[in-house]
Amino acid sequence: MQTKMVVDFKLKKRTKILISCAALISVVTVGLFGAGLYFYKVAVVPAPKAFLSKPVKIKPGNVLYPAHKWYQEVTKARWHEISATDHLKLDANYIPAAKPTAKTAIVAHGFMSDKDKMFQYAYMFHHLGYNVLLPDASGHGDSQGNVIGYGWPDRLDYVKWIKKVIANNGTDSKIVVFGVSMGGATTMMVSGVKNVPHQVKAYIEDCGYTDAYDEIAYQANQLYHLPKFPLVNIVSGINWAKNGYTFKEANALSQVRKNRKPMLFIHGAHDHFVPTKMVYPVYKADRGPKQLLIVPGRGHARSYQNHPELYTQTVKKFLHRYIK
């Protein structure tokens, strides 16, 4: 009888421990999922982001002022396209070159940026004799959408913009795809798309990341001191369930391995938002003619601003080799 009581006591004790463990696991799981939903909104839902620098008013004397003034005054045509994956209306500005030309630069903006904030690059390409197309990515600017795609669904939208340029400007078009930050990653992702029109002659990427997972994991650590596992994996899983792809799939590194066309890689020497070290594996992985420019100075996506002459002359010489 006493032995049975001891056994029953032990069973009850073990049961309580198992129930407590199960309850703890449930609480932790619910907590992690809740945190995942919160960081999904931070990372993927278009909205003002506290961790991004606020725009600075550009005044006379600022190195960007001539480009900003020009962009405000230049005639811009509005172009529209339908997104490749979810039938959203996309918006773009088109600026024809001063003299008729078959050369066009398609300019891709960064995370929570828009076409109008790419004015300095439009200015640069315009003065190099190019037509310029500045699209708003899905979920940004005047384009529809409620998701930040990190370049992955956007790569197919940019192929549609490429085809629109060809339809508008002719089959003799000579196109360079250019992007900064998320736009740089988008540019690299475009380079690996099968059957990109042959009218694309070159790519230029400035401070793009290796893949969305690595960049989001880096920011989670930098901004919130959080390890990438399991939170980033949970957010990636939520993104897969909602939007059909994981952050690892949004992979510029794997895309440039498929590229055979010329690509210029640019990165600031002291970039702590998309760390400078990310440029080296994508540069190494690229299979086409390539060039790497590390621009002295601090800050993210500030290479043009820090050294406009070096930046412009490097782009000019690179394109002159491949686009006549």
Side-chain angles (χ1 to χ4, degrees):
M1 183 70 176
Q2 189 175 4
T3 304
K4 185 177 184 299
M5 289 176 64
V6 171
V7 171
D8 288 345
F9 175 77
K10 289 182 178 179
L11 284 172
K12 287 179 180 179
K13 188 176 181 180
R14 288 175 184 172
T15 301
K16 286 180 179 179
I17 292 172
L18 288 172
I19 291 171
S20 297
C21 289
L24 180 61
I25 291 169
S26 296
V27 169
V28 171
T29 301
V30 170
L32 284 171
F33 185 70
L37 287 173
Y38 172 79
F39 283 106
Y40 172 84
K41 291 181 180 179
V42 172
V44 181
V45 176
K49 309 295 181 184
F51 55 84
L52 295 178
S53 301
K54 294 182 179 179
V56 177
K57 189 174 181 180
I58 298 170
K59 300 177 181 180
N62 187 307
V63 68
L64 299 180
Y65 182 77
H68 188 260
K69 186 173 186 294
W70 166 83
Y71 185 78
Q72 297 302 311
E73 296 173 353
V74 72
T75 300
K76 297 177 278 286
R78 296 293 288 274
W79 282 20
H80 296 100
E81 187 54 87
I82 301 299
S83 64
T85 55
D86 44 16
H87 308 292
L88 298 170
K89 186 177 180 181
L90 304 177
D91 189 274
N93 282 342
Y94 178 78
I95 303 170
K99 296 179 181 179
T101 181
K103 300 187 295 184
T104 300
I106 300 177
V107 176
H109 64 74
F111 179 89
M112 290 313 302
S113 185
D114 60 56
K115 58 184 179 294
D116 294 332
K117 293 184 179 70
M118 302 297 282
F119 62 86
Q120 65 268 48
Y121 308 107
Y123 176 84
M124 175 185 71
F125 281 112
H126 183 79
H127 282 77
L128 291 177
Y130 284 71
N131 309 305
V132 184
L133 180 67
L134 302 115
D136 279 330
S138 174
H140 294 73
D142 296 313
S143 289
Q144 295 178 340
N146 57 8
V147 170
I148 300 168
Y150 287 92
W152 190 242
D154 310 286
R155 78 197 191 286
L156 303 178
D157 295 337
Y158 276 87
V159 172
K160 293 193 75 172
W161 285 119
I162 290 165
K163 292 178 179 178
K164 194 172 187 73
V165 167
I166 297 166
N168 187 79
N169 293 358
T171 56
D172 62 340
S173 291
K174 300 174 182 179
I175 298 170
V176 53
V177 181
F178 168 94
V180 176
S181 192
M182 186 179 79
T186 304
T187 297
M188 290 188 278
M189 292 176 195
V190 171
S191 77
V193 174
K194 189 176 181 180
N195 297 326
V196 170
H198 67 84
Q199 286 87 350
V200 174
K201 304 301 182 183
Y203 298 97
I204 301 174
E205 79 85 18
D206 182 346
C207 62
Y209 40 79
T210 50
D211 63 54
Y213 182 93
D214 287 346
E215 176 60 15
I216 292 169
Y218 173 81
Q219 291 302 328
N221 180 263
Q222 290 290 108
L223 298 172
Y224 305 103
H225 308 292
L226 294 170
K228 61 184 176 183
F229 183 84
L231 188 60
V232 178
N233 299 71
I234 292 169
V235 178
S236 181
I238 294 170
N239 191 68
W240 174 80
K242 285 178 172 284
N243 305 313
Y245 64 94
T246 68
F247 293 151
K248 276 292 184 184
E249 286 180 88
N251 195 311
L253 183 60
S254 65
Q255 289 294 96
V256 293
R257 289 193 180 106
K258 306 171 191 175
N259 178 49
R260 298 296 184 274
K261 294 182 179 180
M263 187 175 298
L264 171 60
F265 296 81
I266 302 172
H267 219 106
H270 301 284
D271 188 336
H272 300 297
F273 193 82
V274 176
T276 306
K277 65 181 181 180
M278 283 193 176
V279 74
Y280 298 109
V282 290
Y283 174 74
K284 183 178 179 181
D286 185 78
R287 301 294 182 85
K290 56 189 174 182
Q291 181 180 344
L292 174 62
L293 173 66
I294 302 297
V295 179
R298 297 186 176 277
H300 175 62
R302 289 178 61 90
S303 291
Y304 178 91
Q305 186 171 343
N306 288 341
H307 292 278
E309 186 64 22
L310 170 65
Y311 197 106
T312 301
Q313 288 305 313
T314 302
V315 168
K316 180 180 179 180
K317 290 176 183 177
F318 176 79
L319 292 178
H320 184 71
R321 291 200 292 271
Y322 305 109
I323 303 179
K324 303 301 181 183

